[in-house]
Amino acid sequence: MTTNYSDGTAAGTGGLSSEPRRPPRRLSTETKASFKTTELFAYLGAVVGVLLTSQLIGTEDGHDDYFRADRAWLYIVLLTIGYMLSRGLAKAGSRDPYDADGHR
């Protein structure tokens, strides 16, 4: 007859438990949060660059304004679509695993 102790060991077994130890259950989230990714910072930098360029390029020396506000906002919309597509692809193809006990 063996006596079970609170730490999971059994008397007479040399400290080995008769029950196998189960690893923690493996879970996952979709992906990292968007503010933790470099693509967010690249997107924000590109938007700031487009806005600054649109502001700095103006009508000078008799030339037309080559980079008007409507064109700048079109580029920002295209950047936003690209960013949303890249986040969608990232979410579809990868997972951010974590254990059920809270350790990563």
Side-chain angles (χ1 to χ4, degrees):
M1 180 174 145
T2 62
T3 305
N4 289 328
Y5 295 102
S6 62
D7 66 352
T9 61
T13 61
L16 298 175
S17 175
S18 61
E19 296 180 18
R21 238 188 126 127
R22 292 185 189 174
R25 191 169 58 141
R26 194 77 167 154
L27 304 170
S28 66
T29 59
E30 197 63 32
T31 58
K32 295 194 266 191
S34 64
F35 63 88
K36 293 181 180 179
T37 63
T38 56
E39 60 195 16
L40 174 68
F41 297 112
Y43 166 74
L44 292 175
V47 167
V48 168
V50 167
L51 290 174
L52 283 174
T53 304
S54 175
Q55 181 65 29
L56 294 174
I57 296 177
T59 305
E60 296 176 1
D61 299 330
H63 297 296
D64 291 335
D65 187 4
Y66 294 114
F67 197 38
R68 297 184 323 258
D70 61 339
R71 180 164 289 183
W73 284 107
L74 173 68
Y75 289 144
I76 290 173
V77 167
L78 294 175
L79 285 168
T80 303
I81 291 169
Y83 175 73
M84 292 170 72
L85 286 173
S86 71
R87 286 301 298 161
L89 291 173
K91 286 180 174 270
S94 65
R95 301 230 180 251
D96 187 24
Y98 66 94
D99 295 329
D101 61 358
H103 298 293
R104 285 188 179 245

